[in-house]
Amino acid sequence: MITTDRVPFREVLPGGGRLMGLDVGTKTIGVALCDAGWSFASPAELIRRTKFQKDKLALIAIIAAQQVKGIVIGLPLNLDGSESPRSQSSRAFARNLLDLDLPIFLQDERWSTVAVTRTLIEQDASRAKRAELVDKMAAAYILQGAIDALVALG
């Protein structure tokens, strides 16, 4: 199941469970994880993209080790809410994960990288440090937005 609607995603996870957030870029995949009670999201890993099957195996290893119950993938929309070529790329990435048998929620990520970059600049992080952290922190930002919305459903 792939959805942009948080209601059906929430319904297939009545007991909660650990979620994995992904910020899918062309060169890297930022990975974040949240606790089983959906309280907080934390940056976890940065996967340097190679071949899709190799990237998928890295994700499968994280899913197994962390007992992940669902996946949240950032959906890069245009500022007006319309879809972009990057949105289609994220949707294709999600479709390629369907055989993992985990529900997938596509979360609007329009401001994730900007918000995270601003935070890192405020913390006086060097450009090199920002480049190293921004994708996995953006994944945590995306995941936190999703779990906040899911918890609000009750």
Side-chain angles (χ1 to χ4, degrees):
M1 164 185 133
I2 299 173
T3 184
T4 56
D5 185 345
R6 63 185 183 201
V7 174
F9 185 80
R10 178 74 171 98
E11 287 173 350
V12 298
L13 295 166
R18 195 153 217 205
L19 301 178
M20 178 170 66
L22 302 177
D23 181 35
V24 180
T26 56
K27 296 180 182 175
T28 60
I29 302 169
V31 180
L33 296 163
C34 73
D35 61 303
W38 298 351
S39 299
F40 58 90
S42 301
E45 290 188 38
L46 183 68
I47 298 171
R48 303 239 179 250
R49 297 207 56 188
T50 57
K51 301 255 187 237
F52 177 78
Q53 286 305 319
K54 190 173 178 186
D55 301 342
K56 187 175 181 179
L57 288 174
L59 293 173
I60 289 169
I62 296 167
I63 289 166
Q66 299 296 329
Q67 300 176 339
V68 170
K69 303 295 183 203
I71 301 172
V72 175
I73 298 176
L75 183 64
L77 300 171
N78 292 319
L79 290 180
D80 65 1
S82 64
E83 299 237 349
S84 67
R86 287 203 49 229
S87 305
Q88 295 307 314
S89 178
S90 291
R91 286 183 182 279
F93 189 90
R95 283 191 302 274
N96 287 325
L97 297 180
L98 274 173
D99 63 346
L100 299 179
D101 273 344
L102 293 173
I104 299 172
F105 179 62
L106 299 174
Q107 169 75 15
D108 180 353
E109 68 148 282
R110 279 180 269 191
W111 298 104
S112 62
T113 302
V114 172
V116 167
T117 301
R118 185 175 296 142
T119 299
L120 290 169
I121 289 170
E122 288 170 1
Q123 294 174 354
D124 206 23
S126 68
R127 187 176 300 269
K129 189 70 170 172
R130 289 194 310 261
E132 176 187 322
L133 294 174
V134 71
D135 291 326
K136 62 184 177 180
M137 287 183 68
Y141 185 90
I142 292 162
L143 182 55
Q144 188 66 54
I147 61 176
D148 289 347
L150 292 166
V151 168
L153 289 174

